Amino acid sequence: MIKILPSVESFLARQHGLLIGGQWQPAASAATFATLNPATGTELAHVAEGDAADVDRAVAAAQAAFPAWAAVLPAQCERLLHRYADLIETHREELAQLESLDNGKPFNVAYNVEVNVALGQLRFYAGMPTRLKGETYPVSSPGYHVYTRREPLGVCGAITPWNYSTVMAMQKIGPALACGNTLVLKPAEQTPLTALRLGELALEAGIPPGVLNVVTGFGHTAGAALARHPHLRKIGFTGSTEVGRAIVRSSAENLAHVSLELGGKSALIIFDDADLDAAAETALWAIFANSGQNCVAGSRLFVQQTVYDNFLSTLVGRAQALRVGPGMQPDTDLGPLISQAQQRRVQGYIERGLDEGARLLTGGATAPSADGYFVPPTIFEHVADTATIAREEIFGPVLAVFPFSDEDEVIARANAVPFGLAAGVWTNQLARAHRVAAQLHAGVVWVNTYDWFDPAVPFGGRGASGHGRELGMQVAELYTELKGIWIKV
Ligand code: ADP
Ligand code: MG
């Protein structure tokens, strides 16, 4: 096992409060809850259980901090965000250990992907304040000069999931702050630790009290109170489609801007002319990275009939070689699932797959366990397009494989789900790559690769996968309001 850093030991031992107006405070109710280590099922740390009263205080603190933060000069805002990034870089190993322990993912992934991606994002957002700009317009009335200004919204809320807690937090903290807003962050109850540490580091970087507030707590209490808060101007949500709908309903009252990054059931399509060895390696990680708990997981694999048998036997062989274990064990490929509830859910889908006639090629249900929520890499074939495991997001290491014969057929089948987040295409025919990429219903299509991100590239879904684009300079559209100004000259 990787040795736990002393700074992580002491962080875990603390009784964590809520970060409200730059102060660490207990919940008004004094309630706390435990976050568990999913590799063992034991308590890892205790955090405050915020609810509506705490959300009220946090929103008030964010409101109070807003005018001064919105007035910070762009170059100064950039300096503060870069200083924040420097601190995250200094504490990268510690954050990665916290994430590995709290979420279960392999430490190497937490260090090289999770914290590294969050850091890259923050560096990108740190460059935004001096680049936010309006436009001038050639209006058809004589004697007018007309231009737009991009102005911050005010108090924003962020509700984030547990699968990539550090990245998801930064994907909202970064643009909210860079655009001059203040924020209340409600991290997932399963993984509150890195959000708390990010709150501490923001203060240490000199970001003023109240600009970033962190309220740990549960979704139906703290999360719902934040989404419906009358003073909230924007809510950025990443999570399930079901809760996304509840967020939209709350916005009917406060009319907050809403952006939603929800579930997926992404198709990865392998044509017979592709580099099949590389495609098999990509298909493997497209589904099994983060134990399948990935919004862009390539959970439906379409393989052209002509190469189907060989491709599948390579894939199954590689899946069987993956090591399942605790995230803090250095050779682990797949960590545990986040919780016992998630383990049961995924096992339920595996049983449903069998009941509906699919053929299990590897993996399958293991006995539910209270001491570590592991599920092995699982692959099904002979799955009907209408089967539950072909249509619903499982959010676990479960792959459904389908043979196909031609291009039009596979495009139609790939598009026949309500989700539209991501898709992948493997082919060495240039024209086919462009043709298929254009027709897939998805916010992102990867060709001869999968699961790549860059802070400069907009990301988001359509249909049941949500709307709005995070990342890229376009994220400014989610976190600012345009004002048109007419000057009679
Ligand atoms: P999952 O089922 O994978 O945990 P959720 O969509 O339930 O995904 O959770 C994502 C985030 O949404 C978490 O921070 C959770 O606390 C929050 N959440 C859950 N229910 C609600 C709700 N009714 N209102 C607001 N936030 C919620
Ligand atoms: Mg936990």
Side-chain angles (χ1 to χ4, degrees):
M1 289 288 177
I2 294 162
K3 196 172 154 15
I4 297 179
L5 294 168
S7 56
V8 171
E9 295 277 14
S10 61
F11 188 85
L12 295 176
R14 267 154 58 183
Q15 172 58 64
H16 293 278
L18 309 168
L19 178 57
I20 297 178
Q23 305 288 322
W24 292 95
Q25 305 182 14
S29 69
T32 66
F33 67 101
T35 182
L36 305 182
N37 177 345
T40 58
T42 55
E43 291 187 357
L44 190 60
H46 290 264
V47 303
E49 186 187 333
D51 63 19
D54 305 296
V55 166
D56 275 346
R57 287 191 294 147
V59 170
Q63 255 187 315
F66 173 65
W69 180 246
V72 169
L73 296 175
Q76 172 61 8
C77 183
E78 293 197 347
R79 267 196 293 275
L80 286 168
L81 294 178
H82 274 300
R83 205 182 294 160
Y84 187 21
D86 290 342
L87 282 173
I88 291 174
E89 200 158 0
T90 304
H91 294 279
R92 182 170 161 191
E93 189 179 355
E94 179 193 324
L95 283 160
Q97 286 202 355
L98 284 173
E99 199 59 78
S100 176
L101 288 164
D102 207 8
N103 167 280
K105 68 185 60 193
F107 171 78
N108 284 335
V109 175
Y111 186 81
N112 293 309
V113 182
E114 178 99 39
V115 182
N116 201 36
V117 167
L119 189 55
Q121 285 195 6
L122 182 54
R123 296 272 184 218
F124 176 82
Y125 302 127
M128 284 178 70
T130 58
R131 290 162 182 80
L132 293 173
K133 56 191 190 323
E135 292 177 321
T136 59
Y137 296 84
V139 294
S140 300
S141 322
Y144 286 94
H145 169 59
V146 182
Y147 63 97
T148 47
R149 277 166 53 83
R150 259 194 197 285
E151 298 182 350
L153 301 172
V155 179
C156 298
I159 298 179
T160 52
W162 44 260
N163 64 331
Y164 284 95
S165 328
T166 312
V167 174
M168 293 298 117
M170 192 50 71
Q171 205 153 304
K172 306 214 185 320
I173 295 171
L177 271 52
C179 292
N181 304 288
T182 54
L183 184 71
V184 177
L185 168 65
K186 206 301 279 175
E189 54 272 31
Q190 296 88 346
T191 55
L193 298 180
T194 46
L196 293 169
R197 190 68 183 115
L198 290 176
E200 273 182 349
L201 292 175
L203 281 181
E204 198 180 323
I207 292 171
V211 172
L212 171 60
N213 307 277
V214 182
V215 177
T216 50
F218 292 90
H220 61 282
T221 50
L226 180 58
R228 68 167 180 259
H229 201 285
H231 296 145
L232 199 72
R233 301 306 317 128
K234 189 240 157 38
I235 181 83
F237 174 75
T238 302
S240 61
T241 301
E242 181 199 349
V243 176
R245 291 198 171 96
I247 302 279
V248 173
R249 281 192 289 271
S250 301
S251 75
E253 292 306 317
N254 60 16
L255 297 176
H257 295 242
V258 175
S259 56
L260 303 170
E261 206 262 89
L262 309 175
K265 191 73 186 176
S266 300
L268 173 52
I269 302 171
I270 316 291
F271 286 98
D272 60 8
D273 59 70
D275 174 346
L276 295 173
D277 188 65
E281 192 63 17
T282 296
L284 183 78
W285 290 107
I287 180 64
F288 297 128
N290 218 37
S291 298
Q293 304 168 122
N294 187 355
C295 56
V296 298
S299 53
R300 292 183 299 147
L301 177 65
F302 291 91
V303 183
Q304 202 157 15
Q305 192 86 62
T306 37
V307 295
Y308 180 85
D309 289 336
N310 281 341
F311 191 89
L312 211 55
S313 71
T314 307
L315 186 69
V316 168
R318 290 188 194 178
Q320 286 167 343
L322 295 174
R323 287 164 302 237
V324 178
M328 292 294 275
Q329 194 169 290
D331 64 353
T332 290
D333 294 312
L334 271 73
L337 300 193
I338 187 67
S339 62
Q340 194 169 37
Q342 188 65 10
Q343 186 191 31
R344 290 219 168 99
R345 232 183 119 246
V346 172
Q347 287 171 340
Y349 276 114
I350 293 172
E351 280 153 26
R352 191 79 182 264
L354 293 168
D355 289 348
E356 291 181 357
R359 176 165 163 226
L360 185 66
L361 295 176
T362 187
T366 42
S369 53
D371 53 348
Y373 314 125
F374 298 97
V375 173
T378 297
I379 301 179
F380 279 107
E381 67 166 345
H382 298 169
V383 185
D385 286 13
T386 51
T388 308
I389 62 165
R391 299 191 52 81
E392 294 186 12
E393 182 177 50
I394 298 176
F395 229 60
V398 181
L399 177 66
V401 191
F402 311 84
F404 72 92
S405 47
D406 70 58
E407 192 179 306
D408 289 342
E409 171 212 332
V410 77
I411 291 168
R413 292 169 69 195
N415 287 341
V417 291
F419 296 108
L421 191 56
V425 186
W426 277 72
T427 178
N428 276 330
Q429 288 185 38
L430 180 67
R432 168 182 275 164
H434 286 290
R435 240 177 4 244
V436 176
Q439 290 180 81
L440 289 170
H441 293 171
V444 55
V445 178
W446 288 291
V447 177
N448 295 341
T449 182
Y450 201 82
D451 206 355
W452 278 99
F453 284 83
D454 189 283
V457 182
F459 172 76
R462 49 166 93 172
S465 295
H467 51 69
R469 292 291 177 269
E470 295 187 307
L471 308 179
M473 285 301 286
Q474 292 84 341
V475 74
E477 287 161 24
L478 301 185
Y479 286 95
T480 58
E481 205 101 69
L482 275 182
K483 178 187 280 173
I485 297 178
W486 290 66
I487 311 281
K488 180 106 195 254
V489 293

